[in-house]
Amino acid sequence: MEKDFEDNQAIKKLKSLAEDIRFCMYTTIEDSKIVSRPMTTLDIDQEGNVWFFTSRHTELVRDARHGDPVTLIYSDPKNNTYVSVSGTASIVESERRKDELWNLMSKAWFPGGKDDPDLAVLRVTTQEAAYWDSTSSKMVVFFSMLKAVVTGTTPEGGDHGKLNLV
């Protein structure tokens, strides 16, 4: 069933779908090629911005300084939840935000801690998203697909829609 959301409701829906997934494929265009890399989502704030740590020596920082578009792709096949988020990236120079986002696992990538000179705070200002969410169990989804094959209909795919985040 198609369900679109606007503004605060869209942000709430994004948070409910993506926060528990934690990892996304952070996708950009480089030299006319689509390039993706896994990133750990540290926070989705009340405005729908998605926050990450990254190294100051990556292409992500260069892209963010130019305000290049990015896509964040979240996937949780176990729960049949998928989200694609479009936005623009920027580097945020804020010691307060570093403190808020820092966690023990971050130290694996930044051994110097919050004061590591290589640590950069990356914000994706979201604009819109699309989602697919089927809360049914795998067996329910399987039987829905089997029924569709037998009857020549389209299987029920759960909820899907657009999230207007601006």
Side-chain angles (χ1 to χ4, degrees):
M1 174 187 317
E2 188 158 342
K3 294 182 184 177
D4 295 342
F5 294 91
E6 300 281 330
D7 303 319
N8 286 338
Q9 293 300 319
I11 293 167
K12 285 181 184 177
K13 184 68 172 178
L14 173 63
K15 288 174 71 77
S16 74
L17 294 171
E19 269 189 332
D20 289 337
I21 298 174
R22 304 299 299 161
F23 299 97
C24 71
M25 293 303 290
Y26 184 103
T27 305
T28 58
I29 298 176
E30 296 174 17
D31 300 323
S32 301
K33 294 180 186 172
I34 297 172
V35 178
S36 299
R37 76 268 303 149
M39 296 284 285
T40 304
T41 301
L42 299 172
D43 185 33
I44 300 173
D45 68 22
Q46 296 303 315
E47 296 173 355
N49 299 312
V50 184
W51 296 83
F52 305 93
F53 284 142
T54 191
S55 166
R56 291 190 183 279
H57 303 291
T58 65
E59 297 84 21
L60 299 182
V61 171
R62 180 185 49 83
D63 293 345
R65 296 211 191 280
H66 294 106
D68 291 349
V70 301
T71 299
L72 310 176
I73 302 170
Y74 293 89
S75 174
D76 183 3
K78 183 175 168 185
N79 292 310
N80 295 313
T81 301
Y82 307 90
V83 184
S84 176
V85 182
S86 299
T88 55
S90 60
I91 298 300
V92 175
E93 300 293 345
S94 168
E95 293 303 315
R96 181 185 61 81
R97 198 63 179 131
K98 275 185 189 178
D99 289 341
E100 293 169 350
L101 296 172
W102 186 258
N103 63 58
L104 186 60
M105 296 307 291
S106 299
K107 192 163 180 130
W109 296 104
F110 301 97
K114 292 181 276 189
D115 298 323
D116 190 321
D118 191 39
L119 178 64
V121 177
L122 178 67
R123 175 183 61 206
V124 173
T125 303
T126 59
Q127 296 159 345
E128 64 181 14
Y131 73 95
W132 299 263
D133 184 29
S134 175
T135 56
S136 301
S137 70
K138 287 184 181 181
M139 287 303 287
V140 170
V141 172
F142 171 75
F143 282 115
S144 174
M145 291 175 69
L146 184 60
K147 176 184 170 189
V149 168
V150 171
T151 62
T153 60
T154 302
E156 294 181 28
D159 293 339
H160 67 281
K162 292 188 184 338
L163 305 176
N164 183 3
L165 299 159
V166 285

